[in-house]
Short mmCIF file of all heavy atoms in Angstrom, two decimals:
data_model
loop_
_atom_site.label_atom_id
_atom_site.label_comp_id
_atom_site.label_asym_id
_atom_site.label_seq_id
_atom_site.Cartn_x
_atom_site.Cartn_y
_atom_site.Cartn_z
N MET A 1 -0.89 -1.28 -2.68
CA MET A 1 -1.05 0.16 -2.70
C MET A 1 -2.34 0.54 -1.97
O MET A 1 -3.40 0.02 -2.27
CB MET A 1 -1.10 0.65 -4.15
CG MET A 1 -1.35 2.12 -4.25
SD MET A 1 -1.14 2.76 -5.91
CE MET A 1 -2.80 2.63 -6.52
N ASN A 2 -2.25 1.44 -1.02
CA ASN A 2 -3.41 1.95 -0.29
C ASN A 2 -3.81 3.29 -0.87
O ASN A 2 -2.96 4.14 -1.16
CB ASN A 2 -3.10 2.13 1.19
CG ASN A 2 -3.11 0.83 1.94
OD1 ASN A 2 -3.66 -0.15 1.49
ND2 ASN A 2 -2.48 0.83 3.09
N ILE A 3 -5.10 3.47 -0.99
CA ILE A 3 -5.65 4.77 -1.42
C ILE A 3 -6.40 5.33 -0.22
O ILE A 3 -7.34 4.74 0.25
CB ILE A 3 -6.59 4.60 -2.62
CG1 ILE A 3 -5.82 4.03 -3.82
CG2 ILE A 3 -7.23 5.94 -2.96
CD1 ILE A 3 -6.70 3.70 -5.00
N GLU A 4 -5.94 6.47 0.27
CA GLU A 4 -6.60 7.15 1.37
C GLU A 4 -7.55 8.18 0.80
O GLU A 4 -7.20 8.90 -0.14
CB GLU A 4 -5.58 7.83 2.28
CG GLU A 4 -4.62 6.86 2.95
CD GLU A 4 -5.27 6.01 4.02
OE1 GLU A 4 -6.19 6.50 4.71
OE2 GLU A 4 -4.86 4.84 4.15
N VAL A 5 -8.76 8.26 1.37
CA VAL A 5 -9.76 9.20 0.85
C VAL A 5 -10.35 10.04 1.97
O VAL A 5 -10.39 9.64 3.13
CB VAL A 5 -10.89 8.47 0.12
CG1 VAL A 5 -10.39 7.77 -1.13
CG2 VAL A 5 -11.60 7.47 1.01
N ASP A 6 -10.76 11.23 1.61
CA ASP A 6 -11.55 12.12 2.45
C ASP A 6 -12.90 12.25 1.77
O ASP A 6 -12.97 12.49 0.56
CB ASP A 6 -10.92 13.51 2.54
CG ASP A 6 -9.58 13.50 3.25
OD1 ASP A 6 -9.40 12.70 4.18
OD2 ASP A 6 -8.72 14.30 2.88
N ILE A 7 -13.97 12.10 2.54
CA ILE A 7 -15.32 12.16 1.97
C ILE A 7 -16.13 13.17 2.76
O ILE A 7 -16.30 13.04 3.97
CB ILE A 7 -16.02 10.80 2.01
CG1 ILE A 7 -15.23 9.79 1.18
CG2 ILE A 7 -17.46 10.92 1.52
CD1 ILE A 7 -15.74 8.38 1.27
N LEU A 8 -16.64 14.19 2.07
CA LEU A 8 -17.53 15.17 2.67
C LEU A 8 -18.93 14.83 2.19
O LEU A 8 -19.20 14.87 0.99
CB LEU A 8 -17.13 16.58 2.25
CG LEU A 8 -17.98 17.72 2.80
CD1 LEU A 8 -17.90 17.75 4.33
CD2 LEU A 8 -17.53 19.04 2.21
N THR A 9 -19.82 14.50 3.11
CA THR A 9 -21.18 14.11 2.75
C THR A 9 -22.05 15.35 2.54
O THR A 9 -21.68 16.47 2.93
CB THR A 9 -21.82 13.23 3.83
OG1 THR A 9 -21.95 14.00 5.05
CG2 THR A 9 -20.97 12.00 4.09
N LYS A 10 -23.22 15.15 1.93
CA LYS A 10 -24.15 16.25 1.72
C LYS A 10 -24.59 16.88 3.03
O LYS A 10 -24.92 18.05 3.08
CB LYS A 10 -25.38 15.76 0.95
CG LYS A 10 -25.10 15.46 -0.50
CD LYS A 10 -26.35 15.00 -1.20
CE LYS A 10 -26.06 14.66 -2.65
NZ LYS A 10 -27.26 14.19 -3.36
N SER A 11 -24.58 16.08 4.10
CA SER A 11 -24.99 16.61 5.41
C SER A 11 -23.87 17.34 6.13
O SER A 11 -24.05 17.82 7.24
CB SER A 11 -25.54 15.48 6.28
OG SER A 11 -24.54 14.49 6.48
N GLY A 12 -22.69 17.41 5.51
CA GLY A 12 -21.59 18.16 6.08
C GLY A 12 -20.63 17.36 6.95
O GLY A 12 -19.73 17.92 7.56
N ASN A 13 -20.80 16.05 7.01
CA ASN A 13 -19.90 15.22 7.79
C ASN A 13 -18.67 14.88 6.96
O ASN A 13 -18.77 14.60 5.78
CB ASN A 13 -20.58 13.91 8.22
CG ASN A 13 -21.71 14.14 9.19
OD1 ASN A 13 -21.57 14.93 10.12
ND2 ASN A 13 -22.83 13.52 8.97
N LEU A 14 -17.51 14.91 7.61
CA LEU A 14 -16.25 14.60 6.94
C LEU A 14 -15.70 13.29 7.49
O LEU A 14 -15.55 13.14 8.70
CB LEU A 14 -15.24 15.73 7.18
CG LEU A 14 -13.86 15.54 6.55
CD1 LEU A 14 -13.95 15.42 5.03
CD2 LEU A 14 -12.95 16.70 6.94
N TYR A 15 -15.45 12.34 6.60
CA TYR A 15 -14.90 11.04 6.96
C TYR A 15 -13.59 10.84 6.24
O TYR A 15 -13.36 11.40 5.18
CB TYR A 15 -15.87 9.92 6.56
CG TYR A 15 -17.18 9.96 7.30
CD1 TYR A 15 -18.28 10.59 6.76
CD2 TYR A 15 -17.30 9.40 8.55
CE1 TYR A 15 -19.49 10.65 7.43
CE2 TYR A 15 -18.50 9.46 9.24
CZ TYR A 15 -19.59 10.07 8.68
OH TYR A 15 -20.76 10.13 9.36
N GLN A 16 -12.76 9.99 6.82
CA GLN A 16 -11.44 9.71 6.26
C GLN A 16 -11.13 8.25 6.49
O GLN A 16 -11.50 7.67 7.51
CB GLN A 16 -10.42 10.59 6.99
CG GLN A 16 -9.06 10.61 6.40
CD GLN A 16 -8.19 11.61 7.15
OE1 GLN A 16 -7.84 11.34 8.30
NE2 GLN A 16 -7.87 12.74 6.53
N GLY A 17 -10.46 7.63 5.55
CA GLY A 17 -10.04 6.24 5.70
C GLY A 17 -9.43 5.69 4.43
O GLY A 17 -9.29 6.41 3.43
N ALA A 18 -9.07 4.43 4.49
CA ALA A 18 -8.50 3.75 3.32
C ALA A 18 -9.62 3.19 2.46
O ALA A 18 -10.56 2.59 3.00
CB ALA A 18 -7.57 2.64 3.76
N LEU A 19 -9.53 3.37 1.16
CA LEU A 19 -10.55 2.83 0.26
C LEU A 19 -10.48 1.31 0.29
O LEU A 19 -9.46 0.72 -0.06
CB LEU A 19 -10.31 3.34 -1.16
CG LEU A 19 -11.27 2.84 -2.23
CD1 LEU A 19 -12.69 3.30 -1.93
CD2 LEU A 19 -10.83 3.29 -3.60
N ALA A 20 -11.57 0.69 0.74
CA ALA A 20 -11.63 -0.77 0.82
C ALA A 20 -12.44 -1.35 -0.35
O ALA A 20 -12.13 -2.42 -0.85
CB ALA A 20 -12.23 -1.23 2.14
N ASP A 21 -13.48 -0.63 -0.76
CA ASP A 21 -14.34 -1.10 -1.83
C ASP A 21 -15.20 0.06 -2.32
O ASP A 21 -15.38 1.04 -1.62
CB ASP A 21 -15.23 -2.25 -1.32
CG ASP A 21 -15.85 -3.06 -2.44
OD1 ASP A 21 -15.43 -2.90 -3.62
OD2 ASP A 21 -16.76 -3.85 -2.18
N LYS A 22 -15.75 -0.11 -3.51
CA LYS A 22 -16.69 0.86 -4.07
C LYS A 22 -17.67 0.12 -4.95
O LYS A 22 -17.38 -0.97 -5.44
CB LYS A 22 -15.94 1.94 -4.86
CG LYS A 22 -15.25 1.37 -6.09
CD LYS A 22 -14.38 2.41 -6.74
CE LYS A 22 -13.64 1.90 -7.95
NZ LYS A 22 -13.05 0.59 -7.89
N PHE A 23 -18.84 0.72 -5.15
CA PHE A 23 -19.82 0.14 -6.05
C PHE A 23 -20.26 1.23 -7.01
O PHE A 23 -20.75 2.28 -6.60
CB PHE A 23 -21.01 -0.41 -5.27
CG PHE A 23 -22.06 -1.01 -6.18
CD1 PHE A 23 -21.84 -2.24 -6.78
CD2 PHE A 23 -23.24 -0.35 -6.45
CE1 PHE A 23 -22.78 -2.78 -7.64
CE2 PHE A 23 -24.19 -0.89 -7.30
CZ PHE A 23 -23.96 -2.11 -7.89
N ILE A 24 -20.06 0.97 -8.29
CA ILE A 24 -20.44 1.90 -9.35
C ILE A 24 -21.64 1.30 -10.09
O ILE A 24 -21.62 0.14 -10.47
CB ILE A 24 -19.27 2.09 -10.35
CG1 ILE A 24 -17.97 2.47 -9.66
CG2 ILE A 24 -19.65 3.09 -11.44
CD1 ILE A 24 -17.95 3.83 -9.03
N SER A 25 -22.68 2.11 -10.29
CA SER A 25 -23.88 1.62 -10.99
C SER A 25 -23.62 1.56 -12.50
O SER A 25 -22.60 2.04 -12.99
CB SER A 25 -25.08 2.51 -10.69
OG SER A 25 -24.92 3.76 -11.32
N SER A 26 -24.55 0.99 -13.23
CA SER A 26 -24.42 0.82 -14.67
C SER A 26 -24.33 2.16 -15.41
O SER A 26 -23.77 2.23 -16.50
CB SER A 26 -25.54 -0.03 -15.23
OG SER A 26 -26.79 0.62 -14.96
N ASP A 27 -24.87 3.22 -14.80
CA ASP A 27 -24.79 4.54 -15.45
C ASP A 27 -23.52 5.30 -15.08
O ASP A 27 -23.31 6.44 -15.48
CB ASP A 27 -26.03 5.38 -15.12
CG ASP A 27 -26.12 5.81 -13.68
OD1 ASP A 27 -25.23 5.46 -12.86
OD2 ASP A 27 -27.10 6.51 -13.35
N GLY A 28 -22.65 4.66 -14.28
CA GLY A 28 -21.36 5.25 -13.93
C GLY A 28 -21.36 6.06 -12.65
O GLY A 28 -20.32 6.60 -12.25
N SER A 29 -22.51 6.16 -11.96
CA SER A 29 -22.55 6.93 -10.72
C SER A 29 -22.08 6.08 -9.54
O SER A 29 -22.24 4.86 -9.53
CB SER A 29 -23.95 7.48 -10.48
OG SER A 29 -24.87 6.41 -10.29
N LEU A 30 -21.50 6.74 -8.57
CA LEU A 30 -21.03 6.07 -7.35
C LEU A 30 -22.21 5.74 -6.47
O LEU A 30 -22.98 6.63 -6.08
CB LEU A 30 -20.04 6.98 -6.61
CG LEU A 30 -19.45 6.45 -5.32
CD1 LEU A 30 -18.60 5.21 -5.57
CD2 LEU A 30 -18.62 7.53 -4.66
N GLN A 31 -22.40 4.47 -6.14
CA GLN A 31 -23.51 4.05 -5.29
C GLN A 31 -23.10 3.92 -3.82
O GLN A 31 -23.86 4.27 -2.93
CB GLN A 31 -24.08 2.71 -5.76
CG GLN A 31 -24.72 2.79 -7.12
CD GLN A 31 -25.94 3.68 -7.09
OE1 GLN A 31 -26.85 3.50 -6.31
NE2 GLN A 31 -25.96 4.68 -7.96
N SER A 32 -21.91 3.41 -3.58
CA SER A 32 -21.42 3.30 -2.20
C SER A 32 -19.90 3.24 -2.20
O SER A 32 -19.28 2.91 -3.21
CB SER A 32 -22.00 2.07 -1.51
OG SER A 32 -21.45 0.88 -2.06
N ILE A 33 -19.35 3.56 -1.05
CA ILE A 33 -17.89 3.47 -0.88
C ILE A 33 -17.66 2.89 0.53
O ILE A 33 -18.38 3.23 1.47
CB ILE A 33 -17.24 4.84 -1.07
CG1 ILE A 33 -15.73 4.72 -1.13
CG2 ILE A 33 -17.68 5.83 -0.02
CD1 ILE A 33 -15.05 5.94 -1.67
N THR A 34 -16.72 2.00 0.64
CA THR A 34 -16.40 1.39 1.92
C THR A 34 -15.01 1.82 2.36
O THR A 34 -14.04 1.71 1.58
CB THR A 34 -16.44 -0.15 1.82
OG1 THR A 34 -17.74 -0.54 1.36
CG2 THR A 34 -16.19 -0.81 3.17
N LEU A 35 -14.92 2.32 3.59
CA LEU A 35 -13.67 2.77 4.16
C LEU A 35 -13.16 1.78 5.18
O LEU A 35 -13.94 1.31 6.02
CB LEU A 35 -13.81 4.14 4.83
CG LEU A 35 -14.29 5.29 3.98
CD1 LEU A 35 -14.42 6.55 4.83
CD2 LEU A 35 -13.35 5.52 2.82
N ALA A 36 -11.87 1.49 5.16
CA ALA A 36 -11.22 0.69 6.21
C ALA A 36 -10.58 1.67 7.18
O ALA A 36 -10.12 2.74 6.81
CB ALA A 36 -10.16 -0.22 5.60
N ASN A 37 -10.57 1.31 8.47
CA ASN A 37 -10.02 2.16 9.52
C ASN A 37 -10.56 3.59 9.44
O ASN A 37 -9.81 4.57 9.38
CB ASN A 37 -8.49 2.18 9.45
CG ASN A 37 -7.93 0.79 9.54
OD1 ASN A 37 -8.35 -0.01 10.37
ND2 ASN A 37 -7.00 0.46 8.67
N PRO A 38 -11.89 3.72 9.44
CA PRO A 38 -12.51 5.02 9.24
C PRO A 38 -12.42 5.91 10.48
O PRO A 38 -12.33 5.44 11.61
CB PRO A 38 -13.96 4.67 8.95
CG PRO A 38 -14.18 3.41 9.73
CD PRO A 38 -12.90 2.66 9.64
N ARG A 39 -12.45 7.20 10.22
CA ARG A 39 -12.58 8.16 11.30
C ARG A 39 -13.39 9.35 10.84
O ARG A 39 -13.54 9.60 9.63
CB ARG A 39 -11.22 8.58 11.85
CG ARG A 39 -10.26 9.15 10.87
CD ARG A 39 -8.88 9.29 11.50
NE ARG A 39 -8.09 10.27 10.75
CZ ARG A 39 -7.13 10.99 11.25
NH1 ARG A 39 -6.80 10.86 12.52
NH2 ARG A 39 -6.48 11.85 10.53
N ARG A 40 -13.98 10.06 11.80
CA ARG A 40 -14.91 11.17 11.51
C ARG A 40 -14.36 12.42 12.17
O ARG A 40 -13.86 12.41 13.29
CB ARG A 40 -16.29 10.85 12.07
CG ARG A 40 -17.31 11.95 11.88
CD ARG A 40 -18.67 11.56 12.42
NE ARG A 40 -18.65 11.08 13.78
CZ ARG A 40 -18.76 11.84 14.86
NH1 ARG A 40 -18.90 13.14 14.74
NH2 ARG A 40 -18.75 11.34 16.07
N PHE A 41 -14.50 13.54 11.46
CA PHE A 41 -14.04 14.82 11.98
C PHE A 41 -15.18 15.47 12.75
O PHE A 41 -16.28 15.62 12.24
CB PHE A 41 -13.57 15.74 10.84
CG PHE A 41 -12.96 17.02 11.31
CD1 PHE A 41 -11.80 17.00 12.04
CD2 PHE A 41 -13.55 18.23 11.01
CE1 PHE A 41 -11.20 18.18 12.48
CE2 PHE A 41 -12.98 19.41 11.43
CZ PHE A 41 -11.80 19.39 12.16
N ARG A 42 -14.91 15.87 13.99
CA ARG A 42 -15.92 16.54 14.82
C ARG A 42 -15.82 18.04 14.58
O ARG A 42 -15.26 18.79 15.35
CB ARG A 42 -15.69 16.18 16.29
CG ARG A 42 -15.87 14.69 16.54
CD ARG A 42 -15.60 14.30 17.95
NE ARG A 42 -14.22 14.62 18.28
CZ ARG A 42 -13.80 14.97 19.49
NH1 ARG A 42 -14.62 15.01 20.49
NH2 ARG A 42 -12.51 15.23 19.69
N ARG A 43 -16.40 18.47 13.48
CA ARG A 43 -16.27 19.85 12.98
C ARG A 43 -16.87 20.88 13.92
O ARG A 43 -16.26 21.92 14.21
CB ARG A 43 -16.90 19.95 11.60
CG ARG A 43 -16.73 21.30 10.96
CD ARG A 43 -17.27 21.29 9.52
NE ARG A 43 -17.00 22.51 8.83
CZ ARG A 43 -17.81 23.57 8.83
NH1 ARG A 43 -18.94 23.51 9.50
NH2 ARG A 43 -17.48 24.65 8.18
N GLU A 44 -18.08 20.64 14.42
CA GLU A 44 -18.74 21.62 15.27
C GLU A 44 -17.92 21.88 16.55
O GLU A 44 -17.74 23.01 16.96
CB GLU A 44 -20.17 21.17 15.61
CG GLU A 44 -21.08 21.23 14.42
CD GLU A 44 -22.47 20.73 14.74
OE1 GLU A 44 -22.82 20.64 15.94
OE2 GLU A 44 -23.21 20.43 13.80
N GLN A 45 -17.44 20.79 17.16
CA GLN A 45 -16.63 20.94 18.36
C GLN A 45 -15.32 21.70 18.04
O GLN A 45 -14.86 22.51 18.83
CB GLN A 45 -16.31 19.59 19.00
CG GLN A 45 -17.50 18.88 19.58
CD GLN A 45 -18.20 17.96 18.58
OE1 GLN A 45 -18.00 18.07 17.37
NE2 GLN A 45 -19.02 17.07 19.08
N PHE A 46 -14.74 21.37 16.89
CA PHE A 46 -13.52 22.04 16.47
C PHE A 46 -13.74 23.55 16.34
O PHE A 46 -12.95 24.36 16.84
CB PHE A 46 -13.00 21.46 15.16
CG PHE A 46 -11.91 22.25 14.52
CD1 PHE A 46 -10.62 22.25 15.07
CD2 PHE A 46 -12.15 23.02 13.41
CE1 PHE A 46 -9.60 23.01 14.49
CE2 PHE A 46 -11.13 23.77 12.82
CZ PHE A 46 -9.86 23.77 13.37
N LEU A 47 -14.80 23.95 15.64
CA LEU A 47 -15.08 25.36 15.42
C LEU A 47 -15.34 26.10 16.74
O LEU A 47 -14.89 27.24 16.92
CB LEU A 47 -16.25 25.53 14.47
CG LEU A 47 -16.00 25.07 13.03
CD1 LEU A 47 -17.28 25.17 12.20
CD2 LEU A 47 -14.87 25.85 12.38
N GLU A 48 -16.06 25.46 17.67
CA GLU A 48 -16.32 26.07 18.97
C GLU A 48 -15.01 26.27 19.74
O GLU A 48 -14.78 27.34 20.31
CB GLU A 48 -17.28 25.20 19.79
CG GLU A 48 -18.70 25.33 19.37
CD GLU A 48 -19.25 26.73 19.52
OE1 GLU A 48 -19.02 27.36 20.58
OE2 GLU A 48 -19.91 27.21 18.57
N GLN A 49 -14.17 25.25 19.76
CA GLN A 49 -12.90 25.34 20.48
C GLN A 49 -11.98 26.40 19.85
O GLN A 49 -11.29 27.13 20.55
CB GLN A 49 -12.19 23.98 20.48
CG GLN A 49 -10.86 23.95 21.17
CD GLN A 49 -10.97 24.12 22.67
OE1 GLN A 49 -11.96 23.74 23.27
NE2 GLN A 49 -9.95 24.71 23.27
N ARG A 50 -12.01 26.50 18.54
CA ARG A 50 -11.13 27.44 17.84
C ARG A 50 -11.52 28.90 18.10
O ARG A 50 -10.69 29.79 18.01
CB ARG A 50 -11.17 27.14 16.35
CG ARG A 50 -9.98 27.75 15.63
CD ARG A 50 -9.80 27.11 14.34
NE ARG A 50 -9.99 28.11 13.29
CZ ARG A 50 -9.93 27.86 12.01
NH1 ARG A 50 -9.74 26.63 11.60
NH2 ARG A 50 -10.10 28.80 11.14
N LYS A 51 -12.79 29.13 18.48
CA LYS A 51 -13.22 30.49 18.82
C LYS A 51 -12.45 31.00 20.03
O LYS A 51 -12.13 32.18 20.11
CB LYS A 51 -14.72 30.52 19.12
CG LYS A 51 -15.59 30.40 17.89
CD LYS A 51 -17.05 30.43 18.30
CE LYS A 51 -17.96 30.19 17.12
NZ LYS A 51 -19.37 30.13 17.55
N THR A 52 -12.20 30.10 20.98
CA THR A 52 -11.51 30.50 22.22
C THR A 52 -10.01 30.28 22.16
O THR A 52 -9.27 30.89 22.90
CB THR A 52 -12.10 29.77 23.42
OG1 THR A 52 -11.96 28.36 23.23
CG2 THR A 52 -13.56 30.12 23.63
N ASP A 53 -9.57 29.36 21.30
CA ASP A 53 -8.15 29.06 21.20
C ASP A 53 -7.76 28.92 19.73
O ASP A 53 -7.95 27.85 19.12
CB ASP A 53 -7.84 27.77 21.94
CG ASP A 53 -6.37 27.39 21.90
OD1 ASP A 53 -5.55 28.19 21.40
OD2 ASP A 53 -6.02 26.29 22.39
N PRO A 54 -7.20 29.96 19.14
CA PRO A 54 -6.83 29.89 17.71
C PRO A 54 -5.74 28.87 17.39
O PRO A 54 -5.53 28.53 16.25
CB PRO A 54 -6.37 31.30 17.37
CG PRO A 54 -6.16 31.99 18.67
CD PRO A 54 -6.92 31.25 19.71
N ASN A 55 -5.06 28.36 18.43
CA ASN A 55 -4.00 27.37 18.21
C ASN A 55 -4.52 25.94 18.33
O ASN A 55 -3.73 24.99 18.47
CB ASN A 55 -2.87 27.59 19.22
CG ASN A 55 -2.19 28.94 19.00
OD1 ASN A 55 -1.97 29.33 17.86
ND2 ASN A 55 -1.88 29.63 20.06
N THR A 56 -5.82 25.77 18.30
CA THR A 56 -6.44 24.44 18.39
C THR A 56 -5.91 23.55 17.28
O THR A 56 -5.85 23.97 16.12
CB THR A 56 -7.98 24.55 18.29
OG1 THR A 56 -8.43 25.35 19.38
CG2 THR A 56 -8.64 23.21 18.33
N LYS A 57 -5.54 22.33 17.64
CA LYS A 57 -5.00 21.38 16.67
C LYS A 57 -6.13 20.57 16.04
O LYS A 57 -6.94 19.97 16.72
CB LYS A 57 -4.02 20.43 17.35
CG LYS A 57 -2.80 21.13 17.89
CD LYS A 57 -1.89 20.15 18.58
CE LYS A 57 -0.71 20.88 19.18
NZ LYS A 57 0.17 19.97 19.92
N ILE A 58 -6.14 20.57 14.71
CA ILE A 58 -7.18 19.84 13.97
C ILE A 58 -7.15 18.35 14.31
O ILE A 58 -8.19 17.72 14.46
CB ILE A 58 -7.01 20.07 12.45
CG1 ILE A 58 -7.34 21.51 12.11
CG2 ILE A 58 -7.86 19.10 11.64
CD1 ILE A 58 -7.07 21.89 10.67
N GLU A 59 -5.97 17.80 14.44
CA GLU A 59 -5.83 16.36 14.65
C GLU A 59 -6.55 15.89 15.92
O GLU A 59 -6.98 14.73 16.00
CB GLU A 59 -4.33 16.00 14.72
CG GLU A 59 -4.05 14.54 14.57
CD GLU A 59 -4.58 13.93 13.26
OE1 GLU A 59 -4.55 14.60 12.21
OE2 GLU A 59 -5.04 12.77 13.32
N ASP A 60 -6.72 16.77 16.90
CA ASP A 60 -7.39 16.40 18.14
C ASP A 60 -8.88 16.16 17.96
O ASP A 60 -9.55 15.66 18.87
CB ASP A 60 -7.19 17.50 19.20
CG ASP A 60 -5.74 17.62 19.63
OD1 ASP A 60 -4.96 16.66 19.42
OD2 ASP A 60 -5.38 18.69 20.18
N PHE A 61 -9.44 16.51 16.81
CA PHE A 61 -10.88 16.41 16.59
C PHE A 61 -11.28 15.30 15.62
O PHE A 61 -12.42 15.24 15.20
CB PHE A 61 -11.43 17.78 16.15
CG PHE A 61 -11.36 18.78 17.28
CD1 PHE A 61 -10.21 19.51 17.51
CD2 PHE A 61 -12.41 18.92 18.16
CE1 PHE A 61 -10.12 20.39 18.55
CE2 PHE A 61 -12.34 19.80 19.22
CZ PHE A 61 -11.18 20.54 19.42
N TRP A 62 -10.36 14.43 15.29
CA TRP A 62 -10.69 13.24 14.51
C TRP A 62 -11.00 12.12 15.49
O TRP A 62 -10.28 11.90 16.44
CB TRP A 62 -9.52 12.83 13.61
CG TRP A 62 -9.39 13.67 12.39
CD1 TRP A 62 -8.55 14.72 12.20
CD2 TRP A 62 -10.14 13.54 11.19
NE1 TRP A 62 -8.72 15.25 10.96
CE2 TRP A 62 -9.70 14.54 10.30
CE3 TRP A 62 -11.15 12.68 10.76
CZ2 TRP A 62 -10.21 14.69 9.02
CZ3 TRP A 62 -11.67 12.85 9.49
CH2 TRP A 62 -11.21 13.83 8.64
N LYS A 63 -12.11 11.42 15.26
CA LYS A 63 -12.53 10.34 16.16
C LYS A 63 -12.70 9.07 15.32
O LYS A 63 -13.33 9.10 14.25
CB LYS A 63 -13.86 10.70 16.82
CG LYS A 63 -14.37 9.64 17.74
CD LYS A 63 -15.66 10.02 18.38
CE LYS A 63 -16.13 8.89 19.27
NZ LYS A 63 -17.41 9.17 19.88
N ALA A 64 -12.18 7.97 15.83
CA ALA A 64 -12.33 6.68 15.14
C ALA A 64 -13.80 6.29 15.10
O ALA A 64 -14.52 6.44 16.09
CB ALA A 64 -11.50 5.62 15.83
N VAL A 65 -14.23 5.77 13.97
CA VAL A 65 -15.58 5.21 13.83
C VAL A 65 -15.49 3.74 14.30
O VAL A 65 -14.59 3.03 13.85
CB VAL A 65 -16.06 5.29 12.36
CG1 VAL A 65 -17.39 4.60 12.19
CG2 VAL A 65 -16.14 6.74 11.90
N PRO A 66 -16.36 3.31 15.20
CA PRO A 66 -16.28 1.93 15.68
C PRO A 66 -16.36 0.91 14.53
O PRO A 66 -17.16 1.09 13.60
CB PRO A 66 -17.51 1.80 16.61
CG PRO A 66 -17.81 3.19 17.00
CD PRO A 66 -17.43 4.06 15.82
N GLY A 67 -15.56 -0.12 14.60
CA GLY A 67 -15.54 -1.15 13.58
C GLY A 67 -14.37 -0.96 12.63
O GLY A 67 -13.73 0.09 12.62
N ASN A 68 -14.11 -1.96 11.83
CA ASN A 68 -13.01 -1.90 10.88
C ASN A 68 -13.42 -1.36 9.53
O ASN A 68 -12.57 -0.91 8.75
CB ASN A 68 -12.38 -3.29 10.71
CG ASN A 68 -11.70 -3.74 11.96
OD1 ASN A 68 -11.21 -2.96 12.76
ND2 ASN A 68 -11.66 -5.05 12.15
N MET A 69 -14.69 -1.44 9.21
CA MET A 69 -15.19 -1.00 7.90
C MET A 69 -16.39 -0.06 8.10
O MET A 69 -17.16 -0.22 9.05
CB MET A 69 -15.65 -2.17 7.05
CG MET A 69 -14.55 -3.16 6.71
SD MET A 69 -13.42 -2.43 5.53
CE MET A 69 -12.28 -3.76 5.36
N PHE A 70 -16.53 0.88 7.19
CA PHE A 70 -17.63 1.85 7.24
C PHE A 70 -18.12 2.07 5.84
O PHE A 70 -17.32 2.43 4.95
CB PHE A 70 -17.14 3.14 7.88
CG PHE A 70 -18.18 4.18 8.09
CD1 PHE A 70 -19.18 3.99 9.01
CD2 PHE A 70 -18.16 5.36 7.37
CE1 PHE A 70 -20.15 4.97 9.23
CE2 PHE A 70 -19.12 6.35 7.55
CZ PHE A 70 -20.11 6.15 8.49
N VAL A 71 -19.41 1.88 5.61
CA VAL A 71 -20.01 2.03 4.27
C VAL A 71 -20.78 3.35 4.20
O VAL A 71 -21.60 3.64 5.08
CB VAL A 71 -20.94 0.86 3.93
CG1 VAL A 71 -21.59 1.05 2.56
CG2 VAL A 71 -20.18 -0.45 3.99
N ILE A 72 -20.52 4.12 3.17
CA ILE A 72 -21.23 5.36 2.91
C ILE A 72 -22.01 5.18 1.61
O ILE A 72 -21.43 4.82 0.59
CB ILE A 72 -20.27 6.56 2.81
CG1 ILE A 72 -19.51 6.72 4.11
CG2 ILE A 72 -21.05 7.83 2.46
CD1 ILE A 72 -18.43 7.76 4.06
N LEU A 73 -23.31 5.39 1.66
CA LEU A 73 -24.15 5.27 0.46
C LEU A 73 -24.31 6.60 -0.23
O LEU A 73 -24.29 7.63 0.35
CB LEU A 73 -25.53 4.72 0.84
CG LEU A 73 -25.52 3.36 1.52
CD1 LEU A 73 -26.90 3.01 2.00
CD2 LEU A 73 -24.98 2.32 0.58
#
């Protein structure tokens, strides 16, 4: 079973991928998450393009993150 996740960071970056691993601290807080086949949404470029073309496709603004695994702390 694969679990696909979307992660919005505090800095406003949006990532997507398959949950590969996670680390939970002793107090129950999430310390890190590892994504397999990660990709990042280019939000600023999307918003700029959408100003001139309301039919802009969201899927065109997802970019693969280099590598097979990506760790977010």
Side-chain angles (χ1 to χ4, degrees):
M1 177 170 92
N2 283 341
I3 298 174
E4 297 290 325
V5 295
D6 295 325
I7 299 174
L8 180 62
T9 65
K10 288 181 181 179
S11 60
N13 294 316
L14 179 61
Y15 296 95
Q16 190 175 70
L19 179 64
D21 197 12
K22 65 189 179 317
F23 180 74
I24 308 291
S25 70
S26 60
D27 68 0
S29 63
L30 179 64
Q31 294 296 306
S32 70
I33 190 165
T34 303
L35 301 178
N37 304 314
R39 56 190 201 152
R40 177 178 53 88
F41 186 64
R42 297 177 300 150
R43 185 174 186 271
E44 290 178 16
Q45 292 91 342
F46 169 73
L47 293 174
E48 284 298 314
Q49 179 68 31
R50 198 162 117 182
K51 286 179 185 176
T52 59
D53 181 6
N55 296 320
T56 299
K57 295 179 183 177
I58 291 174
E59 196 58 37
D60 294 340
F61 291 86
W62 282 99
K63 180 180 179 183
V65 174
N68 293 331
M69 297 289 179
F70 184 68
V71 178
I72 300 173
L73 301 173

